[in-house]
Structures are given as structure tokens and as C-alpha cells.
Amino acid sequence: PGSGKTRIVAELARRHADRLVVVPEAATQHYSSIGKRWDELDLDGRREAQRAIYRLQLAQEARLGAAHPDKLL
């Protein structure tokens, strides 16, 4: 966290909007939606969070890939 990955990806997408589409960060979306951080979850909660993040990531990639077949995700 905090190393600038999101900022770099956003800048690359801005500079190369004709070739790139940014997939939103699934983990951030998930933790925002449940209102808790990773360290506030018990073991079962952490496992479910990982599953939910994985499913969300796949769904977003499928949706954006279908909407922008000519671009890199």
C-alpha cells in the first residue's frame, strides 16, 4: 500500500486512453462496501473477503473486456 501503483496506472491510462482501460481495484471496492479492513475480520471473514474480491475482479475484467475488446485491461 502507498507505493503509487494506482496513480501510475491512472496516468498510463490517461496517456494511452486509445489502448488501455483501467479495471477498478477490487479489494478497495470490497472493503469499502463492507465497511471493515482486513485486520478487523476473523479467519472466516478473511477467507470470504478473498473469495469476494476474486469474484469481483473476474466480473469486472469480463465486463470491461467485453465492452472494450480492442484495449488492454
Side-chain angles (χ1 to χ4, degrees):
S3 65
K5 297 178 295 292
T6 301
R7 176 175 250 155
I8 290 169
V9 168
E11 181 62 20
L12 286 170
R14 186 187 69 75
R15 289 183 185 192
H16 303 285
D18 59 321
R19 298 186 311 173
L20 301 175
V21 173
V22 176
V23 178
E25 191 173 309
T28 300
Q29 290 177 306
H30 178 72
Y31 290 118
S32 293
S33 75
I34 66 170
K36 291 188 176 186
R37 297 184 320 256
W38 173 262
D39 60 336
E40 296 173 324
L41 299 172
D42 62 13
L43 185 57
D44 287 337
R46 290 178 181 185
R47 287 181 178 144
E48 181 49 39
Q50 287 296 304
R51 289 183 191 102
I53 291 165
Y54 180 72
R55 289 189 301 264
L56 178 57
Q57 185 71 31
L58 290 180
Q60 291 182 138
E61 288 176 6
R63 181 177 50 82
L64 289 170
H68 304 279
D70 56 329
K71 296 184 180 183
L72 295 173
L73 302 179

